[in-house]
């Protein structure tokens, strides 16, 4: 089969479908997409609220709970203990299919009736003391931690796997411990403000460094110790320089941040962060093979348009998911096989158009089912009846133009400004409504209740008393009130970190802005011969791809847009320059 160029039915931009893509769609028996990859992603993310919590009561036990769903949402919302209990049965909400009406409208009506989980986590089941977490599993003693599993003692972080004591960080995996304010790191210990790095110990403000210890304000280091701004020092000199920055104070951290950002802009960046990868395109991929247009995935094979995942196989268009195979157009189809068009559904086999269904198989258009099989719109069928009815519904959906499409964003539970779509594709209220998205008019937050202003917070962590945990602080960026909890204070003291002046939401958004977008641009290497093409960086050695008086001819796909000011080198030129 040949490649085809199609026009997105939403944004009208052209996109290509390759022969291997058609082969995947044929294998899982779905039509080729009619939305471009970016519009498909935006539509999925408009169904995903990870960070905005609301106070309401459990619809069953009536106790106060914290939930993803504001009080104006129509569906019943149960706390974890009630939802996972035997006190109710999702099949009681089952209904027959009406062939005179669209499928999506009928499914949305079912969603509005079936109780949903307040927060998608397994607190009290496989996790302990992890109530304030979302899309979370197999954890212990975590608070405000999102999209994570197999973690302990983590706070205010997102996209974590198999780590301990991680605070204010993102994309941290593979046996990291005691890490603060870092992005995309693995196998590291005792680090702060470290980015796109691995195998580091006690490093501060480092970018793309590996197998190094006690380095500061550096980029591109390999097997180094006691370096500052890529210069070698003795242990005594290094300790003296780091101590002079007073990283235990707010002003000292601000000074280090300013110098760090200025310093790394003057050095080449690798076109993509690909570690131990074969035949891959994308960014932030670790131990991957045959991954195309994928981002922040580790231990994966044969996927395309996959983001934020652990060990997926042979899957397309998934936003967050671990240990799944043959998944398509899904949000968190963890540990599932042949999961198509699903939302927060784990440990399933052959589930199509489902939300919050678990440990089930052979479901179509179901919500809230557990340990079920052969159900459509939560109604039980025999195996033979299920197969016949499913085929009839798919034929009905094809006529309506619904089959093969993810749930329309207009039916989402959430306002666009509550969802991950707003972080990835920011829109103003008027533009979001114009494009068919919803908008949440009131996001739950506290303002104006502060008992301590930023100017009244002591500069250094040593000057902070236990009383700070009784104070209400005010974010210097958005004005939202926030607190410092005792566990957080203990971490700051042990790591010599000053009290943050911004709330979690602003700190989290700043990290998302620092990380490159999940999009690829075609670019040429910025190595101009003996220097970078903008003349800012002078090469330290000859590069094998070209002579010193010739521009590097290599081209690549990168998440650095062409108009950005960073110096972006191809793999050959970059490897020649790392120290």
């Amino acid at each position: 089969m040949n490649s085809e160029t199609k026009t997105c039915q939403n944004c009208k931009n052209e996109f290509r479908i390759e022969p291997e893509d058609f082969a995947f769609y044929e294998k899982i028996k779905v039509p080729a997409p009619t939305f471009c990859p970016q519009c498909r992603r935006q539509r999925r993310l408009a169904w995903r609220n990870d960070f905005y919590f609301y106070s309401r009561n459990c619809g069953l036990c009536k106790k106060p709970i914290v939930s993803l769903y504001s009080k104006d949402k129509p569906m019943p919302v149960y706390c974890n203990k009630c939802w996972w209990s035997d006190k109710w049965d999702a099949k009681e909400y089952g209904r027959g299919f009406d062939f005179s009406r669209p499928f999506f409208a009928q499914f949305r009506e079912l969603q509005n009736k079936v109780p949903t989980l307040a927060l998608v986590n397994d607190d009290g089941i496989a996790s302990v003391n992890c109530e304030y977490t979302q899309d979370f599993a197999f954890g212990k003693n975590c608070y405000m931690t999102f999209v994570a599993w197999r973690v302990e003692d983590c706070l205010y972080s997102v996209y974590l796997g198999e780590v301990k004591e991680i605070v204010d960080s993102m994309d941290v995996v593979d046996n990291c411990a005691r890490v603060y304010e870092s992005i995309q790191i693995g196998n590291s210990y005792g680090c702060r403000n470290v980015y796109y790095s691995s195998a580091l110990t006690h490093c501060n403000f480092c970018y793309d460094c590996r197998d190094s210890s006690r380095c500061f304000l550096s980029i591109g280091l390999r097997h180094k110790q006691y370096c500052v701004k890529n210069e070698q020092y003795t242990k005594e000199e290094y300790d003296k320089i780091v101590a002079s920055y007073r990283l235990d104070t707010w002003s000292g951290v601000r000074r280090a941040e300013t110098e760090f950002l200025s310093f790394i802009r003057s050095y080449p960046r690798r076109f993509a962060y690909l570690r131990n990868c074969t035949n891959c395109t994308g960014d932030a991929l670790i131990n991957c093979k045959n991954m195309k247009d994928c981002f922040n995935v580790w231990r994966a094979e044969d996927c395309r348009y996959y983001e934020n995942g652990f060990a997926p196989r042979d899957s397309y268009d998934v936003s967050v998911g671990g240990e799944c195979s043959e998944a398509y157009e899904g949000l968190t189809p963890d540990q599932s096989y042949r999961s198509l068009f699903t939302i927060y559904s784990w440990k399933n086999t052959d589930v199509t158009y489902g939300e919050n269904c678990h440990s089930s198989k052979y479901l179509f258009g179901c919500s809230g089912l557990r340990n079920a099989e052969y159900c459509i719109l939560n109604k039980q069928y025999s195996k033979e009846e299920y197969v016949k009815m499913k085929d009839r519904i798919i034929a009905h959906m094809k006529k309506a133009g619904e089959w093969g499409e993810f749930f329309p964003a207009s039916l989402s539970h959430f306002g666009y400004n509550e969802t991950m779509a707003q972080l990835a594709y920011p829109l103003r209220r008027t533009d979001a409504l114009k494009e068919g998205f919803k908008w949440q008019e009131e996001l739950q937050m506290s303002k104006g209740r502060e008992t301590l202003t930023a100017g009244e917070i002591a500069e250094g962590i040593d000057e902070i008393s236990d009383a700070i945990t009784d104070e209400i602080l005010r974010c210097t960026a958005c004005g939202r009130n926030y607190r410092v909890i005792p566990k957080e204070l203990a971490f700051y003291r042990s790591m010599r970190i000053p009290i943050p002046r911004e709330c979690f939401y602003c700190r989290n958004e700043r990290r998302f802005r620092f990380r490159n977008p999940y999009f690829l641009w075609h670019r040429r290497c910025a190595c101009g011969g003996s220097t970078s093409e903008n003349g800012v960086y002078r090469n330290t050695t000859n590069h094998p791809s070209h002579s010193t008086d010739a521009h590097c001819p290599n081209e690549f796909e990168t998440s650095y847009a062409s108009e950005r000011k960073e110096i972006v080198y191809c793999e050959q030129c970059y490897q020649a320059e790392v120290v």
Side-chain angles (χ1 to χ4, degrees):
M1 186 176 291
N2 296 324
S3 300
E4 288 187 18
T5 299
K6 292 182 175 287
T7 300
C8 175
Q9 67 158 285
N10 184 54
C11 69
K12 309 307 177 185
N13 288 330
E14 291 186 346
F15 66 100
R16 289 181 64 80
I17 301 179
E18 304 295 344
E20 59 267 29
D21 303 332
F22 282 115
F24 175 80
Y25 303 138
E26 175 64 26
K27 178 167 60 176
I28 63 171
K29 297 180 173 58
V30 299
T34 62
F35 282 60
C36 70
Q38 290 301 311
C39 286
R40 298 199 299 270
R41 179 174 180 248
Q42 183 182 27
R43 181 177 55 181
R44 285 196 306 276
L45 294 182
W47 281 82
R48 187 178 185 96
N49 172 16
D50 279 332
F51 303 130
Y52 286 97
F53 292 172
Y54 298 90
S55 299
R56 59 184 296 165
N57 293 329
C58 171
L60 189 58
C61 70
K62 309 304 180 184
K63 293 180 181 178
I65 59 173
V66 174
S67 170
L68 294 175
Y69 307 95
S70 57
K71 293 179 180 179
D72 60 341
K73 302 295 191 295
M75 74 288 291
V77 177
Y78 287 3
C79 67
N80 263 16
K81 290 183 178 179
C82 287
W83 196 90
W84 289 101
S85 73
D86 295 327
K87 297 177 181 179
W88 68 286
D89 184 357
K91 290 183 182 178
E92 294 178 356
Y93 301 88
R95 59 196 58 201
F97 189 82
D98 184 351
F99 286 93
S100 69
R101 303 177 58 220
F103 165 79
F104 287 130
Q106 295 182 66
F107 184 75
R108 191 66 180 91
E109 290 171 358
L110 177 68
Q111 289 176 305
N112 287 342
K113 297 296 183 181
V114 179
T116 191
L117 271 167
L119 294 170
V120 183
N121 65 43
D122 59 357
D123 183 55
I125 302 167
S127 292
V128 178
N129 192 28
C130 297
E131 179 181 3
Y132 293 92
T133 60
Q134 163 60 14
D135 195 0
F136 183 96
F138 311 117
K140 183 178 180 181
N141 301 328
C142 294
Y143 176 77
M144 294 296 283
T145 300
F146 311 87
V147 195
W149 69 354
R150 299 169 185 163
V151 301
E152 295 183 19
D153 300 310
C154 296
L155 308 170
Y156 308 114
S157 297
V158 59
Y159 305 136
L160 308 182
E162 299 178 353
V163 294
K164 297 180 179 180
E165 289 190 273
I166 310 299
V167 177
D168 268 316
S169 296
M170 175 186 293
D171 309 332
V172 181
V173 298
D174 274 346
N175 302 311
C176 287
R178 296 183 61 73
V179 169
Y180 177 71
E181 195 62 80
S182 296
I183 299 174
Q184 194 58 238
I185 70 170
N187 294 298
S188 296
Y189 178 84
C191 297
R192 57 190 289 190
N193 296 88
V194 169
Y195 309 92
Y196 297 91
S197 299
S198 64
L200 303 185
T201 56
H202 302 295
C203 289
N204 304 322
F205 294 94
C206 289
Y207 191 100
D208 194 16
C209 295
R210 296 185 194 174
D211 191 26
S212 298
S213 65
R214 300 191 183 280
C215 293
F216 179 51
L217 292 174
S218 293
I219 180 173
L221 298 182
R222 302 291 187 269
H223 318 296
K224 297 294 183 179
Q225 189 175 35
Y226 306 126
C227 290
V228 179
K229 294 187 176 179
N230 286 35
E231 296 293 331
Q232 185 67 61
Y233 291 90
T234 65
K235 179 183 184 301
E236 293 73 19
E237 292 170 331
Y238 173 86
D239 289 342
K240 185 176 181 180
I241 293 171
V242 174
S244 72
Y245 276 80
R246 292 296 311 276
L247 296 178
D248 60 326
T249 67
W250 184 248
S251 59
V253 171
R254 298 285 78 74
R255 175 194 170 192
E257 284 182 346
T258 301
E259 292 187 19
F260 174 67
L261 292 175
S262 176
F263 180 73
I264 64 174
R265 289 193 190 104
S266 64
Y267 272 72
R269 304 278 184 95
R270 191 181 180 189
F271 78 101
Y273 184 69
L274 308 175
R275 202 173 86 218
N276 299 329
C277 292
T278 302
N279 190 31
C280 294
T281 63
D283 198 19
L285 303 179
I286 302 171
N287 298 329
C288 290
K289 181 180 179 181
N290 302 330
M291 304 286 284
K292 194 171 182 181
D293 300 286
C294 295
F295 301 87
N296 191 31
V297 185
W298 45 306
R299 303 181 195 170
E301 293 184 14
D302 304 316
C303 298
R304 191 171 191 189
Y305 308 124
Y306 205 109
E307 62 183 72
N308 304 315
F310 166 76
R313 298 288 186 274
D314 200 17
S315 297
Y316 274 48
D317 286 285
V318 172
S319 298
V320 183
E323 297 179 347
C324 59
S325 62
E326 294 191 18
Y328 177 58
E329 279 275 38
L331 298 174
T332 315
D334 288 357
Q335 297 177 319
S336 295
Y337 168 75
R338 195 65 70 92
S339 185
L340 314 178
F341 317 106
T342 62
I343 301 172
Y344 295 133
S345 295
W346 304 345
K347 300 180 180 179
N348 296 313
T349 298
D350 206 340
V351 171
T352 305
Y353 290 111
E355 181 183 34
N356 205 17
C357 294
H358 306 280
S359 303
S360 298
K361 55 186 178 181
Y362 309 117
L363 306 181
F364 193 97
C366 292
S367 176
L369 292 180
R370 293 167 284 155
N371 301 302
E373 61 180 0
Y374 301 120
C375 293
I376 297 174
L377 293 181
N378 285 31
K379 181 180 177 180
Q380 184 68 62
Y381 291 87
S382 69
K383 178 180 178 180
E384 294 74 16
E385 292 171 331
Y386 172 84
V387 173
K388 291 179 181 179
M389 181 63 74
K390 178 181 175 181
D391 288 344
R392 284 188 64 197
I393 293 173
I394 290 174
H396 176 76
M397 294 176 69
K398 287 179 178 178
K399 292 179 182 178
E402 295 179 311
W403 174 239
E405 301 292 352
F406 193 72
F407 305 103
S410 60
L411 300 181
S412 172
H413 303 304
F414 306 110
Y416 192 85
N417 52 327
E418 294 177 286
T419 68
M420 297 298 291
Q422 178 71 337
L423 278 172
Y425 308 94
L427 293 176
R428 295 175 298 179
R429 178 183 180 277
T430 53
D431 294 331
L433 295 175
K434 184 178 179 181
E435 293 186 25
F437 299 105
K438 296 180 177 178
W439 195 264
Q440 182 67 24
E441 298 299 340
E442 293 187 15
L443 300 174
Q444 181 169 297
M445 67 177 70
S446 169
K447 285 189 175 183
R449 297 175 55 201
E450 56 270 11
T451 60
L452 196 67
T453 65
E456 295 171 320
I457 302 174
E459 262 276 295
I461 189 63
D462 289 339
E463 305 166 68
I464 299 294
S465 71
D466 291 348
I468 190 75
T469 60
D470 297 322
E471 303 284 0
I472 301 175
L473 310 183
R474 182 180 186 274
C475 176
T476 56
C478 72
R480 182 195 299 259
N481 292 138
Y482 67 103
R483 289 182 179 274
V484 174
I485 65 173
K487 185 181 182 72
E488 177 184 0
L489 178 60
F491 180 86
Y492 293 150
R493 284 172 170 167
S494 68
M495 291 283 287
R496 317 293 299 145
I497 293 166
I499 299 298
R501 268 58 169 178
E502 294 180 350
C503 68
F504 157 75
Y505 293 93
C506 290
R507 302 194 307 260
N508 185 57
E509 185 173 353
R510 178 158 40 84
R511 283 189 289 275
F512 269 90
R513 299 288 172 250
F514 186 88
R515 186 177 68 174
N516 282 7
Y518 287 179
F519 189 83
L520 296 178
W521 287 267
H522 189 81
R523 286 187 59 173
R524 183 176 69 164
C525 179
C527 179
S530 60
T531 68
S532 59
E533 61 186 11
N534 62 4
V536 171
Y537 178 80
R538 178 166 293 279
N539 295 335
T540 60
T541 187
N542 294 334
H543 295 178
S545 59
H546 59 94
S547 63
T548 57
D549 59 353
H551 197 290
C552 176
N554 290 338
E555 298 181 353
F556 43 71
E557 302 293 317
T558 179
S559 58
Y560 290 95
S562 56
E563 65 270 16
R564 288 179 58 165
K565 296 182 180 180
E566 292 94 344
I567 303 167
V568 183
Y569 275 14
C570 68
E571 185 72 12
Q572 290 174 297
C573 291
Y574 182 78
Q575 290 298 338
E577 293 302 313
V578 295
V579 294

